[in-house]
């Protein structure tokens, strides 16, 4: 290990914690192609230590007052703002997305923190006086216990921030297992929680791979699991976690379609397709990967998209480029193989990112923005989630055909319609089978007071992330029926009938 290569270890009980340290993974700077860190991979025993620590902390944290919890959330927000540049730099260094995009993910994460700051108001229960003679009913929401969070590489700060602030504000404790590809942001978040005065053990981080994940999914001390990642792993997490008695929300992959109708503002649509298709090199679950051009605007729209793509600068995210590298060499090669397959399948390769000039090291994991036209719904570039800078244009003879195409897709994360026709927009939002819908908005990530989640193979479970669904997921409801008689009403004799309200 050279001097400049960091060692990243777990965070348990409010401080860095080196566990059994048996296995490690390499963390790369994708723009340089070099190893920047070695990250410890947790053993099952390491996971058990994290869960035991979080369980012990829960005994106190669950009964910490709402006003104290809110103050910690406000202080966490302040710590995030102080450390914002460090987190942004770590994300760009390990993920590769450009600095402004990394900063954008902090901004969206902060919105969830700000939502969670309102926890004293958000957790208000209900009360009904005199539902029956001298009987009152109240409902309360209580924390569930130790919550596991298993998160993907593509938003190393934002996705943990979708869950942890709300879980903690609700009185739970957390074991976070971030992606092993870009683990530093999670550790910086842990430092922010410590700076905010969160008691040790309430927020813990363990690094690693499937060994850690599978132990979390079966550990009796874990009460709830929030997962974000690819669909096959999301399905595995949901099935294993629920069969071990846990509540699970598992958000999976996506294939987001943007439909453009003939009446649409084509310049706005082309701008949106390029920014939503190639932002973060297409490594976003809400990226647009398919543009459905409704006849007869296909040629015109493709020309406008192509013209805009010519101005994109691919390169090192620290040099003011528009688009960075892919996260690993293996992922870059996988995405490249889809471009090969798309060309072989007969789609028209309008812009080929395989030879793009790059402003960065020749060892980086580069692939330029790529555009296919006349893509058939049978081609693998259409059927599979590619998760890279590859945009496919499909031609549709009518709006109805386009809508049927979106609804036939097994994924249902996000979709967008570009139109100036209000009646089409209204039909689209009503009939489309997708969880998050944008009307003239290409990346319709819901604001923090709403909840984030897809339909069909994009989400396993019943609750979406953050917002009202987040509060619901991280609490259990309890209803208390009580009688405090102020006048004695003795029964003449015991009554064995089913109790009714009088
Ligand atoms: P991934 O599924 O490979 O990994 C996600 C997490 O699961 C990581 O922490 C990883 O260590 C762990 N993991 C990987 N393989 C595992 C296995 N076999 N068993 C147990 N755990 C395993 O996903 P990724 O490549 O990190 O992220 C990209 C994927 O995430 C894309 O499919 C993207 O669409 C999806 N995603 C979805 C959303 C959403 O909101 N729906 C948001 C972001 C990313």
């Amino acid at each position: 290990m050279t001097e400049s290569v960091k060692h990243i270890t777990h965070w348990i009980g409010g401080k860095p914690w080196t566990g059994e340290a048996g296995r490690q993974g390499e963390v790369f700077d994708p723009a340089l192609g070099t190893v920047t860190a070695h990250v410890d991979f947790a053993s099952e025993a390491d996971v058990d230590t994290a869960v035991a620590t979080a369980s012990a902390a829960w005994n106190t944290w669950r009964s910490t007052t709402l006003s104290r919890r809110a103050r910690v959330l406000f202080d966490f927000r302040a710590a995030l703002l102080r450390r914002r540049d460090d987190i942004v730099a770590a994300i760009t260094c390990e993920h590769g997305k450009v600095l402004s995009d990394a900063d954008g993910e902090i901004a969206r994460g902060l919105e969830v923190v700000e939502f969670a700051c309102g926890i004293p108001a958000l957790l208000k229960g209900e009360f009904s006086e005199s539902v029956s003679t001298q009987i009152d009913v109240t409902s309360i929401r209580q924390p569930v216990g130790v919550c596991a969070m298993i998160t993907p590489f593509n938003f190393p700060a934002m996705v943990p921030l979708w869950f942890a602030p709300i879980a903690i504000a609700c009185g739970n404790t957390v074991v976070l297992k971030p992606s092993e590809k870009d683990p530093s942001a999670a550790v910086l978040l842990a430092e922010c929680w410590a700076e905010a005065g969160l008691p040790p053990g309430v927020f813990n981080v363990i690094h690693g791979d499937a060994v850690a994940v599978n132990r979390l999914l079966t550990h009796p001390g874990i009460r709830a699991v929030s997962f974000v990642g690819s669909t096959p792993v999301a399905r595995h997490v949901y099935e294993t976690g629920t069969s071990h008695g846990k509540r699970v929300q598992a958000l999976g992959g996506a294939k987001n379609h943007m439909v453009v109708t003939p009446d649409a503002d084509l310049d706005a649509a082309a701008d949106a397709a390029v920014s939503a298709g190639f932002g973060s090199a297409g490594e976003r679950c809400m990226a647009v990967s398919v543009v459905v051009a409704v006849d007869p605007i296909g040629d015109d729209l493709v020309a406008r998209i192509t013209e805009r793509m010519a101005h994109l600068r691919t390169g090192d995210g620290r040099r003011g480029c528009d688009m960075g590298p892919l996260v690993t060499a293996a992922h870059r090669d996988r995405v490249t193989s889809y471009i090969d397959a798309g060309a072989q399948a007969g789609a028209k390769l309008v812009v080929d990112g395989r030879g793009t000039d790059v402003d960065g090291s020749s060892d980086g994991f580069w692939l330029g923005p790529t555009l296919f036209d006349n893509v058939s719904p049978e081609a693998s570039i259409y059927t599979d989630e590619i998760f890279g800078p590859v945009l496919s244009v499909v031609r549709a003879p009518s709006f109805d055909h386009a809508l049927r195409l979106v609804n036939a897709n097994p994924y249902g994360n996000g979709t967008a319609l570009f139109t100036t026709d209000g009646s089409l927009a209204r039909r689209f939002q009503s009939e489309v089978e997708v969880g998050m819908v944008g009307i003239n908005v290409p990346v319709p990530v819901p604001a923090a007071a709403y909840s984030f989640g897809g339909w069909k193979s994009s989400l396993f479970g019943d609750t979406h992330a953050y917002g009202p669904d987040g509060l619901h997921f991280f609490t259990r409801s309890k209803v208390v029926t009580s009688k405090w008689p102020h006048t004695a009403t003795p029964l003449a004799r015991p009554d064995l009938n089913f109790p009714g309200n009088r």
Side-chain angles (χ1 to χ4, degrees), residues 150-155 159 162 177-181 208-210 213-214 227-231 233 236 251-254 285 385 387 413 452 458:
I150 301 154
T151 54
F153 80 83
N154 68 317
F155 284 111
V159 171
W162 281 355
K177 207 302 286 174
S179 170
E180 64 277 32
K181 296 190 178 94
D209 57 5
V213 172
N214 290 332
F227 172 88
V228 180
S230 58
T231 287
V233 185
H236 161 71
L251 285 70
C285 63
E385 182 185 40
F387 221 57
N413 212 41
F452 180 108
S458 295

Side-chain angles (χ1 to χ4, degrees), residues 453-479:
W455 287 12
K456 302 190 277 187
S457 294
S458 295
L459 188 142
F460 300 89
D462 307 307
T463 36
H464 292 192
Y466 66 76
D469 277 26
L471 291 168
H472 180 87
F473 186 78
F474 290 118
T475 53
R476 288 189 291 184
S477 75
K478 185 182 274 181
V479 179

Side-chain angles (χ1 to χ4, degrees), residues 261-430:
T261 56
D263 55 278
D265 175 340
L266 293 191
D267 282 321
D271 285 341
V274 171
S275 54
F278 304 116
S280 198
E283 293 172 326
R284 285 183 189 148
C285 63
M286 291 293 275
V288 166
S289 51
V290 179
V291 171
V292 187
V294 178
D295 287 346
I297 46 121
D299 290 348
D300 193 354
L301 184 61
V302 167
R304 291 177 203 233
I305 292 173
T306 308
E307 193 268 318
R308 284 160 174 78
M309 287 175 68
H311 300 291
L312 295 179
R313 231 175 92 220
T314 302
D316 193 317
R318 293 157 290 219
R319 294 190 194 173
C321 297
D322 300 301
M323 199 184 93
L326 293 182
V327 68
T328 59
H331 186 52
R332 187 265 322 271
D333 294 346
R334 180 175 172 276
V335 177
T336 305
S337 73
Y338 273 108
I339 301 176
D340 301 341
Q344 274 160 23
K348 183 177 174 198
L349 186 50
V350 183
V351 181
D352 185 350
R354 291 173 293 189
T356 298
D357 285 339
V358 165
D359 181 0
S361 159
S362 58
D363 294 326
F365 309 142
W366 307 112
L367 184 63
T370 297
L371 180 67
F372 280 106
D373 191 11
N374 285 308
V375 173
S376 136
E378 282 77 46
S380 63
I381 47 170
Y382 179 80
T383 56
D384 296 5
E385 182 185 40
I386 300 176
F387 221 57
V390 181
L391 189 59
S392 293
V393 177
V394 176
R395 307 290 186 107
S398 65
F399 171 78
D400 281 31
H401 183 101
L403 182 56
R404 278 198 300 276
L405 193 67
V406 179
N407 285 346
N409 198 274
Y411 296 105
N413 212 41
T415 189
L417 173 69
F418 274 70
T419 188
T420 52
D421 182 334
S423 65
L424 283 188
R426 192 164 185 278
R427 250 193 83 196
F428 188 76
Q429 71 185 48
S430 170

